[in-house]
Amino acid sequence: MGMPIIEVKELYKTFETKDRTVEALKNINFSVEPGDIYGIIGMSGAGKSTLVRCLNFLEVPTKGAVIVEGNNLGELTPPALRDLRSSIGMIFQSFNLLMQSNVLDNVCFPLTIHGMSKKEARRKAVGLLKTVGLEDKANAYPAQLSGGQQQRVAIARALACDPKILLCDEATSALDPQTTHQILELLRQINQETGITIIIITHSMNVVREICHNVAIVEKGEIVEDGLVEDIFTHPKSRAAKRLIVEGKDPDYYDEVQAEALSPEIVDTLKEDRRIRIVYSTNSSYEPVIANMILNFNEPVNILYAATKDVAGVARGEMILGLSRNPETAERQIAYLEERGLAVEDITDMGWPIEGGRSY
């Protein structure tokens, strides 16, 4: 493994207000390999947007180091920092397009700022619009485009100066699920074709699952867990990861289960159940494990939630089950599942069920 394209070491960021000091980021450490699609996820106010702005020194850290391609940003002169920023593209939730300029001129803008001739800039911009599937919209204005089309223009503009890194700050939050999927597919295609490193800031576990290889989970200004998306999805260790993955605090998590809240009667019944989350891959999905377990133990099992998710390109099924109230039987049921290669996570104390869930 070579040198990381981005390294963050012991980074802190504090803001001074009239009556107190706000510690937005605390002791942040992580690295991103070249060509990776790296997710940074957290709930609103976790500090993830402050963190992404520190990666290109739009926000200067209070303490610590951000190293991009071997360059410590805090040690660069202002001209050297401006030059390095040209290798870092950025797209935002709000698109930030020039509303009085047409699509072609929006993409040309950063090129002409960097001294490229108008003719050459237009030639390159046309190619970029073709890359994002908008070559027929070159003369349209942003107000004439859908949200997804505007974000494609923003992506083309961010790619104009051939960056090595693309920062995406909640880039799909304003889009519907289908358009979000299309934008993520476009980013994945660009990553595969160009090798550009992509860092995605999001509150949505759906986004992380669909496109990211690695992820850092931010809570209250700290990274509480990081690693491969597949590993964290299968075995979340931190409370924050479990909230995002298991409890469904991610507003998109239960998009398959747009249902009424569980009735008070069901909630009261489930409060005493041993509740677990199981994850299985394609290889472990052929045997009717749950049905066989019910027959084996002669004990009913509540299936509280079930779905199949695409995790980094691999189909992963998950269920949340209510097991026997007999502690000894519940332990034997868990052992039965683990013997069959299923990942089992005990979530009895995590507040399930939550509003919006459903019992099956």
Side-chain angles (χ1 to χ4, degrees), residues 3-7 31-35 67-70 164-165 197:
M3 184 178 69
I5 193 167
I6 294 177
E7 264 187 294
S31 61
V32 181
E33 298 299 318
I67 301 167
V68 178
E69 294 191 286
K164 296 180 180 178
I165 300 165
T197 303

Side-chain angles (χ1 to χ4, degrees), residues 83-349:
D83 287 344
L84 186 138
R85 281 193 184 127
S86 67
S87 69
I88 305 175
M90 195 162 186
I91 57 175
F92 306 88
Q93 176 182 352
S94 56
F95 316 136
N96 287 1
L97 300 179
L98 303 171
M99 301 305 289
Q100 303 305 315
S101 299
N102 65 24
V103 165
L104 187 65
D105 288 341
N106 265 278
V107 181
C108 286
F109 180 71
L111 296 170
T112 54
I113 288 293
H114 281 82
M116 186 177 286
S117 70
K118 187 173 181 180
K119 181 179 179 180
E120 184 63 18
R122 290 175 70 86
R123 184 196 64 78
K124 186 168 186 179
V126 167
L128 288 166
L129 289 176
K130 187 174 182 179
T131 297
V132 300
L134 287 181
E135 61 267 39
D136 60 334
K137 299 292 185 181
N139 295 317
Y141 286 81
Q144 298 171 307
L145 304 179
S146 68
Q149 289 172 329
Q150 289 188 57
Q151 194 58 290
R152 286 173 182 266
V153 177
I155 292 170
R157 183 185 59 187
L159 297 174
C161 294
D162 301 314
K164 296 180 180 178
I165 300 165
L166 182 61
L167 306 179
C168 306
D169 189 7
E170 297 281 12
T172 59
S173 294
L175 306 177
D176 62 79
Q178 182 179 353
T179 306
T180 292
H181 175 72
Q182 292 169 351
I183 293 297
L184 294 179
E185 278 298 309
L186 174 61
L187 291 173
R188 192 201 317 273
Q189 176 188 337
I190 290 168
N191 167 261
Q192 291 172 347
E193 292 178 356
T194 67
I196 190 172
T197 303
I198 300 177
I199 297 179
I200 293 183
I201 309 299
T202 182
H203 66 272
S204 170
M205 187 55 73
N206 276 348
V207 170
V208 168
R209 276 199 319 266
E210 185 166 342
I211 192 173
C212 297
H213 305 146
N214 292 279
V215 63
I217 297 172
V218 181
E219 183 179 46
K220 296 179 180 177
E222 299 180 83
I223 292 181
V224 294
E225 190 167 353
D226 65 331
L228 289 170
V229 171
E230 184 176 350
D231 291 346
I232 289 178
F233 178 81
T234 305
H235 293 292
K237 296 181 179 65
S238 65
R239 172 73 183 186
K242 291 178 180 179
R243 285 181 65 214
L244 287 162
I245 296 170
V246 179
E247 286 188 296
K249 298 301 186 184
D250 167 8
D252 296 330
Y253 188 70
Y254 285 100
D255 54 1
E256 300 93 341
V257 193
Q258 295 298 324
E260 69 281 357
L262 294 175
S263 69
E265 293 81 9
I266 293 175
V267 171
D268 289 340
T269 300
L270 293 175
K271 279 179 180 176
E272 299 177 18
D273 282 356
R274 179 76 173 274
R275 293 181 296 284
I276 62 169
R277 173 180 179 260
I278 63 172
V279 178
Y280 53 92
S281 66
T282 304
N283 295 333
S284 59
S285 62
Y286 296 109
E287 179 189 350
V289 178
I290 307 304
N292 288 347
M293 183 176 71
I294 292 169
L295 293 172
N296 187 71
F297 291 95
N298 196 29
E299 285 272 358
V301 170
N302 282 319
I303 300 177
L304 306 176
Y305 175 76
T308 300
K309 305 289 186 182
D310 188 313
V311 183
V314 177
R316 291 281 178 182
E318 65 172 332
M319 286 185 176
I320 293 179
L321 307 177
L323 301 183
S324 171
R325 295 185 183 184
N326 182 305
E328 183 180 336
T329 302
E331 288 297 335
R332 289 168 56 214
Q333 288 173 320
I334 290 172
Y336 180 92
L337 295 171
E338 290 177 335
E339 286 168 5
R340 281 148 185 81
L342 300 179
V344 180
E345 197 80 29
D346 193 323
I347 60 167
T348 304
D349 298 325

Side-chain angles (χ1 to χ4, degrees), residues 5-8 11 13 25 30 40 48-61 65-69 71-92 96 158 163-169 199 201:
I5 193 167
I6 294 177
E7 264 187 294
V8 178
L11 186 144
K13 179 62 183 179
L25 298 172
F30 70 96
I40 297 175
K48 57 189 185 297
S49 290
T50 301
L51 175 54
V52 75
R53 290 174 62 83
C54 286
L55 296 183
N56 56 8
F57 261 44
L58 289 178
E59 200 72 69
V60 178
V66 177
I67 301 167
V68 178
E69 294 191 286
N71 298 287
N72 187 330
L73 302 194
E75 297 175 355
L76 297 180
T77 63
L81 180 59
R82 284 195 297 271
D83 287 344
L84 186 138
R85 281 193 184 127
S86 67
S87 69
I88 305 175
M90 195 162 186
I91 57 175
F92 306 88
N96 287 1
K164 296 180 180 178
I165 300 165
L166 182 61
L167 306 179
C168 306
D169 189 7
I199 297 179
I201 309 299

